[in-house]
Amino acid sequence: MAEESKKHTRVNDILLGPLERPALQFFSKHTPAWASPDTMTIIGVIGAVLIAAGYILTRYQMAWLWLASFGLFVNWFGDSMDGTLARYRKIERPNYGYYVDHVVDVFNEFLVVIGLGLSPLVRFDVAAFTLIGYLMMAVHVFLRTYVDDVFKISYGKLGPTEVRVLIIIANTLVFFLGNPMFNVPLLAAPLSLFDLFVGFLGLLFLVFFLVSAYQYSRELARIGK
């Protein structure tokens, strides 16, 4: 995520943080002067387009999964670097950065999930369920930022970076092992391996939303805020 308002406390306690933070600082130090935070935001969008295209093109050849995985890396780089670069160069535009970053994030996730839903890998309803779960979590994050100025994007040591890594792993497994179908009780149609993975992510988003919303509501009630 990127360019949060200076008054916000940013919480990004992720599992891969010890690796990601030094890497982003290294990239910021060696980024050419002509590349701005807005440039990085555009790179993130290009990554999302590559992801969606890669998934859709698996209709013709599963090797396009590698394009989707490359797009995930490009998207991570752009999405992570826009705010990091702004802070490194001390050129933050808090309100502009916060607004544009999250509008772009939602658009990027829409592209990715639509790409998945239009691929032969994942049922469209499963992809839509996961997008809904993501948007519910995004609403929770934005509301909490408004209420107490805490911008928390990691839950259970998981954040956007870990989700991308998990998707790359899933892409790799499906490429080498195939996408077998499984009969699931209570469902009329079988689900593929990728369906189960994407559906699990959606369920994870939903659980994080419900638990976090409940806990935070209780906390606000307790302190009378």
Side-chain angles (χ1 to χ4, degrees):
M1 302 293 176
E3 293 189 74
E4 291 80 24
S5 173
K6 291 180 181 178
K7 68 179 181 179
H8 298 154
T9 300
R10 190 172 189 269
V11 179
N12 189 21
D13 183 24
I14 59 174
L15 186 65
L16 295 177
L19 297 175
E20 182 183 58
R21 284 186 285 271
L24 293 177
Q25 287 301 309
F26 174 84
F27 290 137
S28 295
K29 183 177 180 180
H30 293 88
T31 297
W34 57 263
S36 69
D38 285 345
T39 305
M40 298 301 161
T41 299
I42 293 171
I43 289 174
V45 175
I46 292 171
V49 171
L50 292 176
I51 299 166
Y55 283 132
I56 293 172
L57 289 170
T58 58
R59 288 173 171 265
Y60 308 104
Q61 174 58 251
M62 282 297 168
W64 287 107
L65 278 170
W66 297 111
L67 177 64
S69 292
F70 175 68
L72 283 159
F73 172 78
V74 173
N75 177 256
W76 166 80
F77 180 80
D79 184 47
S80 301
M81 276 293 294
D82 50 8
T84 303
L85 187 62
R87 290 187 292 271
Y88 180 81
R89 294 180 177 175
K90 302 186 186 305
I91 54 171
E92 299 99 327
R93 290 171 291 176
N95 293 332
Y96 168 84
Y98 182 84
Y99 178 78
V100 170
D101 182 56
H102 298 302
V103 166
V104 171
D105 276 351
V106 170
F107 177 71
N108 287 346
E109 296 305 324
F110 170 78
L111 285 180
V112 172
V113 174
I114 290 299
L116 269 173
L118 294 177
S119 78
L121 302 169
V122 178
R123 285 172 36 173
F124 197 89
D125 56 347
V126 174
F129 169 75
T130 300
L131 178 60
I132 291 169
Y134 167 82
L135 293 176
M136 291 174 71
M137 272 304 300
V139 168
H140 170 71
V141 170
F142 301 153
L143 287 174
R144 178 164 184 181
T145 304
Y146 175 80
V147 171
D148 67 2
D149 299 328
V150 174
F151 183 73
K152 182 177 173 62
I153 60 173
S154 60
Y155 293 84
K157 290 287 185 178
L158 296 178
T161 300
E162 285 73 17
V163 171
R164 292 185 183 99
V165 170
L166 288 173
I167 297 173
I168 290 173
I169 292 173
N171 289 345
T172 305
L173 290 175
V174 168
F175 176 78
F176 286 109
L177 303 179
N179 195 26
M181 304 298 292
F182 299 90
N183 290 316
V184 179
L186 304 180
L187 293 181
L191 297 179
S192 70
L193 177 62
F194 221 126
D195 280 324
L196 295 174
F197 171 74
V198 172
F200 174 76
L201 283 181
L203 185 61
L204 204 61
F205 290 142
L206 179 60
V207 169
F208 280 154
F209 170 79
L210 293 174
V211 172
S212 300
Y214 173 76
Q215 291 178 340
Y216 188 54
S217 298
R218 290 289 301 272
E219 177 66 16
L220 290 176
R222 184 185 65 82
I223 62 178
K225 189 172 181 180

